[in-house]
Amino acid sequence: MNNVIKVSTSCQIGCVRSNNEDMILVNGKFIRNDSYSTSLPYDDKKNCRMVFAVADGMGGHQAGEVASEQVLIDFNYFINDMPSGLTICEFDEAIIRWLDSINRKIHLMGINTPEQSDMGTTAVALVFYENRKYWLNCVDSSLYLYRNGALSQITVDHSLNTLVGEKKHSNIITNCIGAGCTTSYIDIYDFTQDVMPGDVLLLCSDGLNDMISDEAISSVIQNGGDATMLCNAAIEAGGRDNVSVLLLNL
């Protein structure tokens, strides 16, 4: 498949929070408190490599924004420095080693800088590595697939809500990058055969899907809306959290 991927992103503070702890990564470009759109050529018959991610930081004294930024910077370098020719299993093993490494780095930053103690972040990502496409998820930022008028969440949130099925627990997470978590885990999935031209992939922080329904999200996408329109919809609904949206039109 040789085509152009259209990318639309927006990362906004919302109506309640005093600072923005979210960050978006688009193939080497970092977005916070801004919107950004671009088109990227992609040929899956060549050794193309692309990385897209959303991170939702947490921690007092603005530490959450430090954690989300550090994790995405580190992840971007890691993917671009990854050797060529890895098998699916070798790719998975490399990502798990990265998670262990970045966990230690965030933990040490907290020890060395007390105001960053226990900072942490979520991360949801898409990696196009050579002729394969992978999604990765740690915690409760989300990846959705929009196809033929239907929106479905691909990732599973690492939250108490998921475990017990009660929405009232949606803000209690069971996993984290950093924040003193020594047993972090990450979902890694090769979904090369599951996507097709015309699909729309949506990565978002929970500031979007906690504020507006899947039906509302689907309606915006169906009517040609971009990431900024989705962020604005969440803000108009109350904007209780930072909100970040990354849309890829394949």
Side-chain angles (χ1 to χ4, degrees), residues 38-85:
T38 189
S39 295
L40 299 171
Y42 177 73
D43 185 349
D44 62 6
K45 294 181 180 178
K46 297 181 180 179
N47 288 336
C48 290
R49 198 173 295 198
M50 295 184 182
V51 56
F52 309 91
V54 170
D56 179 354
M58 62 200 75
H61 302 287
Q62 301 184 342
E65 66 188 48
V66 175
S68 60
E69 181 174 1
Q70 287 297 318
V71 165
L72 291 193
I73 289 173
D74 197 278
F75 188 64
N76 181 65
Y77 278 121
F78 177 81
I79 295 298
N80 283 285
D81 288 344
M82 186 179 281
S84 299

Side-chain angles (χ1 to χ4, degrees), residues 136-149:
L136 300 83
N137 179 54
C138 185
V139 202
D140 64 348
S141 292
S142 304
L143 169 64
Y144 288 84
L145 168 67
Y146 178 85
R147 177 186 293 164
N148 297 328

Side-chain angles (χ1 to χ4, degrees), residues 109-122:
M109 288 175 66
I111 291 175
N112 295 329
T113 309
E115 60 267 27
Q116 295 175 357
S117 176
D118 292 331
M119 68 179 179
T121 186
T122 74

Side-chain angles (χ1 to χ4, degrees), residues 18-38:
S18 59
N19 65 303
N20 192 349
E21 297 182 314
D22 287 3
M23 181 164 273
I24 296 174
L25 166 63
V26 177
N27 215 33
K29 183 176 179 63
F30 301 91
I31 300 101
R32 174 179 281 152
N33 297 325
D34 201 1
S35 297
Y36 172 72
S37 296
T38 189

Side-chain angles (χ1 to χ4, degrees), residues 64-241:
E65 66 188 48
V66 175
S68 60
E69 181 174 1
Q70 287 297 318
V71 165
L72 291 193
I73 289 173
D74 197 278
F75 188 64
N76 181 65
Y77 278 121
F78 177 81
I79 295 298
N80 283 285
D81 288 344
M82 186 179 281
S84 299
L86 296 183
T87 66
I88 295 172
C89 288
E90 289 170 337
F91 179 91
D92 291 356
E93 290 167 356
I95 294 296
I96 292 169
R97 289 195 299 270
W98 170 79
L99 178 65
D100 183 59
S101 173
I102 193 63
N103 247 332
R104 291 198 304 270
K105 181 177 181 178
I106 297 297
H107 177 64
L108 287 173
M109 288 175 66
I111 291 175
N112 295 329
T113 309
E115 60 267 27
Q116 295 175 357
S117 176
D118 292 331
M119 68 179 179
T121 186
T122 74
V124 60
L126 294 170
V127 178
F128 294 4
Y129 171 78
E130 298 180 351
N131 63 343
R132 313 301 302 178
K133 299 179 181 69
Y134 298 88
W135 63 254
L136 300 83
N137 179 54
C138 185
V139 202
D140 64 348
S141 292
S142 304
L143 169 64
Y144 288 84
L145 168 67
Y146 178 85
R147 177 186 293 164
N148 297 328
L151 183 75
S152 56
Q153 184 172 343
I154 297 175
T155 53
V156 175
D157 295 345
H158 303 159
S159 67
L160 187 58
N161 177 45
T162 300
L163 292 176
V164 303
E166 295 183 19
K167 189 66 175 177
K168 67 181 181 180
H169 297 299
S170 63
N171 64 330
I172 302 176
I173 57 174
T174 57
N175 190 22
C176 188
I177 299 176
C181 188
T182 59
T183 57
S184 298
Y185 58 94
I186 189 166
D187 298 331
I188 312 167
Y189 188 77
D190 171 15
F191 73 137
T192 307
Q193 304 303 318
D194 300 333
V195 291
M196 59 183 62
D199 284 348
V200 178
L201 296 172
L202 162 67
L203 293 87
C204 65
S205 62
D206 60 0
L208 178 73
N209 50 9
D210 275 357
M211 295 307 305
I212 62 174
S213 66
D214 287 0
E215 291 77 14
I217 295 170
S218 181
S219 177
V220 171
I221 297 173
Q222 185 172 15
N223 287 294
D226 61 8
T228 299
M229 292 180 67
L230 285 167
C231 280
N232 288 343
I235 291 169
E236 290 169 4
R240 292 192 299 269
D241 199 354

